[in-house]
Amino acid sequence: MSKLIIANWKMNGSVEQIERDVSIYAKCIYTNNPSVILALPNIYLYIASQIKNKLGAKFSLAAQDVSEFINYGAYTGEISATMLKELGTKYLIIGHSERRAYLNETEDSLVNKIDNALNEKITPVFCIGESKSIRENGKYINFLDNQLRILLQVKSSFDKLVIAYEPIWAIGTGVVPNGEQICEVLKLIKAFVQNYLPHAKITALYGGSVSGVNAYEILNLPEVDGVLVGGASLKPDDFISICTY
Ligand code: 13P
């Protein structure tokens, strides 16, 4: 099965860049594939979905967040899973460490967001990851297990579930954990899902400083079902070379 390669553009891009890159990805054999997923700012998601439909492109689209409120209502500035679904959004990143840190996302809001995604049949990409100090004091397994336990509060049932391990110390730093460290956590994730959510089909990703240079090695680790790419996903040459694993 193809591995999932998710481009998380974060708060980057422009109309010009979207039009250019989406057309490139639609024509490239390595990226015009449902397992290649572009997670774009919502406003560009709309443009990308239009170009995708026009070109009949096969890559998938994702949003980087979703409202914790359901469907429609008086929630100024919010965008619901229902609205994102209408644009053809197949995946939703939920609980990225940047949102947990800068937007103060609470456990309750993460649970609601996951429920909202599942209600619209959008696959959640739930992110977990420890800080440098937690890694260094050796308590990371317990910390990650607690982050995973948020999933047990979700009311809807999981059919498919993507979990991304993104250690905070590896995001945007150029520092990448070694293969053993990545596999240790992805094994933990898979064992957790097998124990507590046995009906969910789990896809476990690694994210943090993935580049055209290190992607081949990471994607060929036994536990890695895909990668979540930040900075390198903004440059089509780098992103395409990641997708050629
Ligand atoms: P970088 O690839 O820039 O380290 O970002 C990783 C990330 O946060 C993806 O969600």
Side-chain angles (χ1 to χ4, degrees), residues 8 10 93 96 98 166 170-173 207-210 228-232:
N8 179 8
K10 308 192 179 182
I93 297 177
H96 192 285
E98 286 155 8
E166 295 208 306
I171 296 178
T173 58
S209 295
V210 175
L228 183 48
V229 188

Side-chain angles (χ1 to χ4, degrees), residues 121-146:
K121 309 238 173 314
I122 299 177
T123 305
V125 178
F126 183 60
C127 300
I128 62 167
E130 80 285 0
S131 64
K132 189 162 186 277
S133 62
I134 294 175
R135 167 63 62 165
E136 284 172 353
N137 73 19
K139 301 215 169 104
Y140 60 96
I141 294 289
N142 199 28
F143 179 85
L144 295 167
D145 186 69
N146 280 334

